[in-house]
Amino acid sequence: MTQLPAGQPVGRLSGDLVLRVVVCITMWALASSVPYVAVLGLAPTPEIAHVLGSPWAVVAALVLGYLAIMQSVSVHETAKSAFGQVRVAGLLATLTVTAGHAVGAACWLLASFDADPLPPFDLEHIVTASEIPRELGAAIGGVFAVWAIITLCRLPGAIRHARSRQQSLERLRRLGTRRAGVITNVTFSNLWVHDEPFFTVQVSYDAAGETRVVTARMRTSSDRVPVVGSRMVVLSDGHGSVSVELDRAAETVFEPESRYRAPEG
């Protein structure tokens, strides 16, 4: 089953979405400056450490961090809408956070290298230093950098996969055989991702004089879980490609939201 609405064009990584990602990375880099400088030893000078360790700087970082979270959520929702699934959306949202922290750490690490006098860089200082050394901030920034690189490397494959799914669905909607189906079984996987429950759904339909059953995985919101007996549309091309979706012409009945709401905590 898919989240791609009928008639929506095949998703692309648009300039607007890329700009949102860049802006979000910048916001995360700025928000992370306070902990990197005031706590993790990446201050070029004691004066800068004092300024970014002040209560006003902490409040500003918290506000900017909140705005960065909202922007990451916006990137996730925009990508989810464009590509019709959450894999690309999750990778882009993760990239905004990890790349932002990596950029923040890199900028302050370079600034600390320009400090005079320049102390030697040695990872052993993480264990031996009497105060928090800049090597700790560098190591944490390095972890975020590796995470961001891995996420970025996974992104092209995820985009190709999402576009391939959309193109197959678009082809089925234009050229596939349309048949009426009905949900005969809904099995809850007892799994939530971002508060959205997962299900395995069986749809029965008639084809060539016989009853067939197709199984699909469904991820939806807790207030949009169709009950058994809901009418479906089954699209097929005769070569193994099948898509199932709710019959928009029918009055679909959904389960009570409280039944599949994600547990708190």
Side-chain angles (χ1 to χ4, degrees), residues 131-154:
E131 298 180 351
I132 297 178
R134 64 178 180 147
E135 285 84 359
L136 179 59
I140 293 176
V143 171
F144 277 113
V146 171
W147 193 352
I149 292 171
I150 293 174
T151 302
L152 189 60
C153 290
R154 293 177 58 195

Side-chain angles (χ1 to χ4, degrees), residues 38-163:
V39 179
L40 297 175
L42 292 184
T45 65
E47 292 77 15
I48 292 179
H50 177 73
V51 170
L52 290 185
S54 67
W56 290 110
V58 173
V59 171
L62 290 175
V63 172
L64 190 56
Y66 174 79
L67 295 176
I69 292 173
M70 293 298 100
Q71 183 66 17
S72 291
V73 172
S74 176
V75 166
H76 184 279
E77 293 304 313
T78 301
K80 179 180 174 181
S81 175
F83 290 95
Q85 50 109 298
V86 296
R87 184 180 175 193
V88 174
L91 289 174
L92 282 174
T94 299
L95 183 64
T96 62
V97 180
T98 55
H101 281 78
V103 168
C107 290
W108 287 110
L109 182 62
L110 290 175
S112 72
F113 266 108
D114 290 335
D116 186 21
L118 179 64
F121 187 87
D122 189 349
L123 288 177
E124 290 185 2
H125 291 164
I126 296 176
V127 178
T128 61
S130 58
E131 298 180 351
I132 297 178
R134 64 178 180 147
E135 285 84 359
L136 179 59
I140 293 176
V143 171
F144 277 113
V146 171
W147 193 352
I149 292 171
I150 293 174
T151 302
L152 189 60
C153 290
R154 293 177 58 195
L155 192 57
I159 292 176
R160 286 194 300 270
H161 174 70
R163 286 180 55 80

Side-chain angles (χ1 to χ4, degrees), residues 26-35 60-62 64-65 68:
T26 303
M27 294 173 68
W28 278 112
L30 292 174
S32 66
S33 294
V34 168
L62 290 175
L64 190 56

Side-chain angles (χ1 to χ4, degrees), residues 163-261:
R163 286 180 55 80
S164 175
R165 287 184 58 185
Q166 286 193 19
Q167 288 167 346
S168 296
L169 178 59
E170 184 181 56
R171 175 176 53 80
L172 285 171
R173 283 172 171 165
R174 286 189 295 106
L175 306 174
T177 302
R178 183 184 181 96
R179 295 184 174 89
V182 62
I183 295 180
T184 56
N185 187 49
V186 178
T187 303
F188 180 40
S189 301
N190 201 31
L191 173 66
W192 292 266
V193 176
H194 300 300
D195 295 333
E196 295 179 339
F198 269 86
F199 299 85
T200 300
V201 178
Q202 289 185 340
V203 178
S204 175
Y205 66 100
D206 292 329
E210 61 177 341
T211 300
R212 298 181 182 178
V213 176
V214 61
T215 301
R217 296 192 66 188
M218 177 179 70
R219 174 179 171 178
T220 184
S221 57
S222 58
D223 62 339
R224 290 187 59 82
V225 180
V227 300
V228 172
S230 296
R231 288 168 54 185
M232 303 291 291
V233 174
V234 181
L235 302 170
S236 63
D237 61 0
H239 300 287
S241 296
V242 178
S243 173
V244 294
E245 55 190 49
L246 288 172
D247 188 344
R248 298 179 182 274
E251 298 255 347
T252 305
V253 177
F254 298 104
E255 296 280 3
E257 180 181 1
S258 58
R259 183 172 181 183
Y260 295 109
R261 187 180 301 156

